[in-house]
Amino acid sequence: RELSNRISIMPTSIPFDDGLILGNIIDPAKIEELQLLEEAEEPRNLLSEHLNNLILSNRNFQTIYNEMVNMGVDEEDLEKLTEEQRKLRKEMSKTAVDLGNETIATQNNLREIKLKQRKKKINKIPTSPIDFSMSELKTMPLAADSMTMDVQYFRNEGTETGMASHASTVSAHVANSFADTSHPKQASGMARSAREATQKQLDNHEIEGTIVITANCTHKQATVFEPFILNPYKALSSWN
């Protein structure tokens, strides 16, 4: 149980490039570079997802066990449940170690790929051929709605040092949860807000622990140019 309470679920990473701006001309090499980064991160992301599922399964398993106890299920049957949960936790521990090793290998691979990409970095970008004065941005349902949700419990140690550490732990978890899916300033702002809110509660109340709920959402609404009008002079300049 302690293992599931202390492990922070690692968010998956989404490769991006500052040059990928709506309306800009994108060099195909940029897309290929992002695909290389995505392929390098895939093994770690798969292990991370597997560990997340095991942690959630362990919590559900514990809930089922408690319900069976309340229902007065025989001790023999409860022991079978306990044995299966031991196997589940052993798999959790093994996967956590594998994830740590894979994370180190992935970061080394990413570093090598980024160093190679930096050597051939393209600094000159052609002017966008879009006639922005005549084109119009509209929001249309072109993607899909999705949501990834996580719940973590952090126990408060009770001492002054423990309370300060508790607020920092909550803040760090929030920052890590949104590090790869949000702008750094936004992730930092959410972490700071979580720390301040937690510290305020610790100062005014006796807190045994904090439940942190995080959610990442995508929406089907996409921003597109409609109508899409090209400026012939800018288009010719970009082609040349």
Side-chain angles (χ1 to χ4, degrees):
R1 185 181 305 174
E2 189 66 19
L3 177 64
S4 64
N5 286 341
R6 291 300 180 89
I7 291 179
S8 295
I9 291 181
M10 181 181 293
T12 57
S13 176
I14 302 176
F16 71 95
D17 189 281
D18 294 337
L20 297 179
I21 302 175
L22 186 63
N24 272 9
I25 294 179
I26 305 301
D27 191 299
K30 291 281 188 179
I31 305 299
E32 294 176 0
E33 290 175 357
L34 293 179
Q35 288 175 338
L36 287 175
L37 293 175
E38 181 182 13
E39 291 172 1
E41 293 177 337
E42 185 64 17
R44 181 195 64 179
N45 291 342
L46 289 175
L47 272 175
S48 177
E49 182 180 358
H50 181 50
L51 179 59
N52 295 348
N53 292 334
L54 289 175
I55 293 174
L56 294 176
S57 297
N58 181 63
R59 293 173 186 160
N60 293 336
F61 210 118
Q62 187 62 43
T63 300
I64 294 173
Y65 180 87
N66 293 337
E67 290 178 353
M68 295 300 100
V69 172
N70 294 333
M71 292 170 59
V73 175
D74 293 340
E75 287 293 333
E76 183 178 350
D77 293 329
L78 289 177
E79 182 58 32
K80 293 179 181 179
L81 286 175
T82 301
E83 180 59 30
E84 292 302 318
Q85 191 170 24
R86 289 195 193 100
K87 295 178 182 178
L88 177 60
R89 290 178 177 175
K90 186 175 181 179
E91 179 64 20
M92 284 171 55
S93 300
K94 179 180 179 299
T95 304
V97 173
D98 292 342
L99 177 59
N101 294 333
E102 186 60 44
T103 298
I104 295 174
T106 298
Q107 291 303 322
N108 290 334
N109 291 337
L110 289 175
R111 179 176 177 274
E112 293 179 3
I113 294 173
K114 290 179 180 179
L115 285 175
K116 292 179 181 179
Q117 292 177 354
R118 190 170 299 174
K119 292 179 181 179
K120 57 178 181 179
K121 188 173 182 179
I122 302 172
N123 295 320
K124 186 177 181 181
I125 301 176
T127 304
S128 174
I130 298 176
D131 190 328
F132 290 101
S133 62
M134 299 185 65
S135 300
E136 184 180 351
L137 282 174
K138 291 184 179 179
T139 302
M140 303 178 68
L142 298 180
D145 292 329
S146 68
M147 181 176 70
T148 302
M149 191 172 181
D150 173 45
V151 180
Q152 293 283 338
Y153 174 75
F154 298 95
R155 186 165 60 90
N156 180 25
E157 298 299 336
T159 63
E160 292 185 5
T161 303
M163 288 190 293
S165 176
H166 180 72
S168 298
T169 301
V170 171
S171 176
H173 172 69
V174 173
N176 292 333
S177 297
F178 296 100
D180 292 328
T181 57
S182 302
H183 190 278
K185 289 185 178 179
Q186 294 176 336
S188 176
M190 287 186 284
R192 183 171 58 255
S193 297
R195 179 187 178 89
E196 292 174 353
T198 304
Q199 191 61 54
K200 184 177 181 180
Q201 294 299 319
L202 290 171
D203 292 340
N204 294 284
H205 306 282
E206 293 184 3
I207 304 297
E208 292 186 3
T210 303
I211 297 177
V212 182
I213 302 174
T214 58
N216 285 307
C217 304
T218 61
H219 302 283
K220 62 184 178 181
Q221 301 296 337
T223 302
V224 298
F225 282 103
E226 179 62 36
F228 177 72
I229 308 298
L230 292 178
N231 183 309
Y233 298 103
K234 293 170 67 177
L236 183 60
S237 176
S238 300
W239 178 264
N240 293 333

